[in-house]
């Protein structure tokens, strides 16, 4: 069982930056690949980025490549999403996800509760 708690969301102007954090409970964090998803109002949840167990491999959806960076600190049981050059279309609830397998499409075994990111124009 893995419990995930996101933080770091908020309101930012277009062009600004935010860093999301996701803290995981338990001693098995390093056994899971991690990912971020987002869901905008009236839209389906979509994949944003994923990182493998060691942090050596990552993958991004095209719309965030070059602007977002996913990373992890296994000693702190935490995964991050650094978001730069934010756009109004990045506005969404961002969810942290854990999966047993690093694969794309990412298969999620556990979800966090989400954190709101709002980008004003």
């Amino acid at each position: 069982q893995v419990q995930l708690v996101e933080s770091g969301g908020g309101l930012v102007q277009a062009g600004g930056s935010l860093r999301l954090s996701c803290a995981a409970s338990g001693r098995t964090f390093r056994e899971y690949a991690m990912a971020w998803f987002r869901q905008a109002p009236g839209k389906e949840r979509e994949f944003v980025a994923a990182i493998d167990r060691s942090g050596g491999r990552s993958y991004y959806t095209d719309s965030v490549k070059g602007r977002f960076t996913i990373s992890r600190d296994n000693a702190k049981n935490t995964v991050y999403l650094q978001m730069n050059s934010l756009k109004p279309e990045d506005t969404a609830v961002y969810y942290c996800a854990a999966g047993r397998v690093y694969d794309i499409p990412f298969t999620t075994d556990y979800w966090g509760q989400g954190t709101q990111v709002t980008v004003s124009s």
Side-chain angles (χ1 to χ4, degrees), residues 2-7 20-24 29 33-38 45 48-49 51 70-71 77-81 93-99 106 108-115:
V2 177
Q3 292 184 328
L4 304 172
V5 179
E6 300 97 333
S7 61
L20 304 183
S21 299
C22 173
F29 176 73
M34 301 297 296
W36 288 94
F37 288 74
R38 65 187 180 186
R45 191 172 299 189
V48 176
I51 191 166
I70 189 171
S71 62
N77 283 11
T78 302
V79 62
Y80 305 97
L81 186 68
V93 177
Y94 283 71
Y95 296 90
C96 177
F106 190 85
T108 299
D109 293 299
Y110 300 100
W111 291 101
Q113 84 289 350
T115 186

Side-chain angles (χ1 to χ4, degrees), residues 94-105:
Y94 283 71
Y95 296 90
C96 177
R100 282 285 188 182
V101 178
Y102 175 74
D103 202 0
I104 306 301

Side-chain angles (χ1 to χ4, degrees), residues 32-102:
Y32 288 86
M34 301 297 296
W36 288 94
F37 288 74
R38 65 187 180 186
Q39 187 167 17
K43 295 187 177 181
E44 294 187 353
R45 191 172 299 189
E46 65 170 354
F47 169 84
V48 176
I51 191 166
D52 70 357
R53 298 171 186 177
S54 68
R57 292 180 293 169
S58 58
Y59 185 86
Y60 300 88
T61 193
D62 285 346
S63 62
V64 308
K65 283 181 181 177
R67 300 188 298 123
F68 290 12
T69 303
I70 189 171
S71 62
R72 66 189 295 162
D73 185 337
N74 285 344
K76 295 183 178 180
N77 283 11
T78 302
V79 62
Y80 305 97
L81 186 68
Q82 177 67 44
M83 305 185 295
N84 299 328
S85 302
L86 282 161
K87 305 175 181 180
E89 51 263 44
D90 294 318
T91 295
V93 177
Y94 283 71
Y95 296 90
C96 177
R100 282 285 188 182
V101 178
Y102 175 74

